[in-house]
Amino acid sequence: MKLRKVTAASAVVLALAVTATACGSSDDKDSGSSGGGKKIAIGIKFDQPGIGQKTPQGYTGFDVDVAKYVAKKLGYDEDQIQWKEAKSADRETMLQRGDVQFIAASYSITPEREEKVDFAGPYLLAHQDVLVRADDDSIKSPADLNSKKLCSVTGSTSAQNVRDKLAPKANLLKYPTYSACLTGLQNKAVDALTTDDSILAGYASQDQFKGKFKLGGLKMTNENYGIGVKKGSDLKDKINKALEEMVADGSWEKAVQANFGPANYQYEPAPKIGDVKS
């Protein structure tokens, strides 16, 4: 009898241990949509200084600051965030698969993307622009790019768009990275680099480039940065509320100045939620 009692007790303890382990495993994997879980997975860029960059010290950039603020409003502390790299070509798939709860990664709102995912925001209105040397005053309009050496990153359509629509005689040079373009710009191998002004400002704000470049202020396109969520997710409204609060309490302005200030970025005021500029 005594042996049977011990065996029964052991079975109960074992059952409780298995249950506790199962519960712990569930909690560890829970990335609930309203802050109820232990972790939240957020997609950002890992290679865009000033926007989203992975460094030995952690993650930095305007999108990172926005994502942290939103996560906090959703009930997550910074140490509960799982950062995941959201490359441009992978963003919709990451959201559709549930790899991340939301993406803040210089993610322009477009009709084509809205067919696949939902967007909160916009939270920043950027424009396609050019970056030139600080002492170069020869480029004051898109037409001035004709016959200029315009740097394009391999795989990007920004420079091609300029030549197709605004400066047909621009001389396109393709470099592997934006950093290579900046080195070429510094060495006068190229005359200008083009992409979103926010991205250009982020690169120009790096310590090694401070004071060497300036934005042209051409505003060739409107790029409405939004936070992507899975189609039909209830996170959209919650994130919109968080973005409104970020603007209202001054955190948005602080984040812009901290990440883009050194490049003298003439940024637009915080856009109103739902106001997507065409």
Side-chain angles (χ1 to χ4, degrees):
M1 290 293 292
K2 187 176 182 180
L3 179 59
R4 262 182 278 175
K5 286 181 180 178
V6 170
T7 303
S10 299
V12 171
V13 170
L14 179 60
L16 288 173
V18 170
T19 302
T21 301
C23 290
S25 175
S26 177
D27 285 346
D28 288 342
K29 294 179 180 178
D30 187 2
S31 298
S33 63
S34 59
K38 292 286 186 181
K39 299 287 184 181
I40 184 169
I42 302 174
I44 57 170
K45 292 288 188 179
F46 277 14
D47 59 353
Q48 287 184 346
I51 299 289
Q53 185 179 28
K54 183 179 181 180
T55 72
Q57 292 74 39
Y59 300 89
T60 65
F62 179 69
D63 282 350
V64 175
D65 290 343
V66 170
K68 287 179 182 176
Y69 187 98
V70 169
K72 186 71 173 178
K73 291 295 181 178
L74 294 176
Y76 296 92
D77 292 327
E78 190 172 334
D79 61 0
Q80 293 175 302
I81 297 174
Q82 294 176 329
W83 298 110
K84 296 192 176 183
E85 184 175 16
K87 295 180 179 179
S88 295
D90 300 334
R91 291 177 296 201
E92 286 83 27
T93 302
M94 291 177 71
L95 289 169
Q96 291 168 341
R97 284 194 312 228
D99 296 342
V100 292
Q101 276 59 63
F102 67 83
I103 290 178
S106 54
Y107 202 2
S108 296
I109 302 171
T110 68
E112 294 77 17
R113 289 170 179 164
E114 287 184 303
E115 292 178 1
K116 301 176 182 178
V117 301
D118 286 340
F119 284 97
Y123 63 91
L124 183 73
L125 176 59
H127 306 281
Q128 187 177 344
D129 199 358
V130 293
L131 195 71
V132 298
R133 288 181 292 278
D135 60 356
D136 186 356
D137 295 320
S138 66
I139 301 174
K140 297 179 179 179
S141 72
D144 293 332
L145 292 169
N146 282 307
S147 301
K148 296 286 188 179
K149 295 177 182 177
L150 185 61
C151 192
S152 170
V153 174
T154 303
S156 169
T157 59
S158 297
Q160 190 66 47
N161 288 340
V162 171
R163 193 170 73 170
D164 289 348
K165 300 175 183 179
L166 302 169
K169 295 181 181 179
N171 180 17
L172 298 189
L173 299 175
K174 293 185 179 181
Y175 281 45
T177 64
Y178 287 117
S179 295
C181 278
L182 287 169
T183 300
L185 189 57
Q186 186 175 350
N187 297 337
K188 299 186 178 182
V190 300
D191 300 307
L193 161 63
T194 186
T195 188
D196 295 358
D197 52 9
S198 56
I199 296 173
L200 295 173
Y203 275 98
S205 294
Q206 292 179 280
D207 288 340
Q208 68 267 37
F209 296 131
K210 285 180 181 177
K212 296 180 180 179
F213 307 113
K214 64 182 179 182
L215 289 160
L218 304 187
K219 297 184 178 181
M220 293 180 280
T221 64
N222 289 329
E223 305 296 336
N224 302 270
Y225 287 5
I227 292 181
V229 298
K230 191 173 184 178
K231 200 77 173 172
S233 172
D234 64 351
L235 274 183
K236 178 179 176 178
D237 291 340
K238 295 173 183 177
I239 293 174
N240 278 335
K241 182 179 179 182
L243 293 173
E244 289 175 339
E245 292 175 0
M246 187 177 187
V247 173
D249 68 16
S251 298
W252 184 90
E253 183 80 18
K254 182 179 178 181
V256 171
Q257 290 291 342
N259 292 289
F260 303 131
N264 295 317
Y265 177 31
Q266 300 301 310
Y267 57 91
E268 299 277 5
K272 292 182 179 180
I273 299 301
D275 184 12
V276 178
K277 303 291 187 185
S278 59

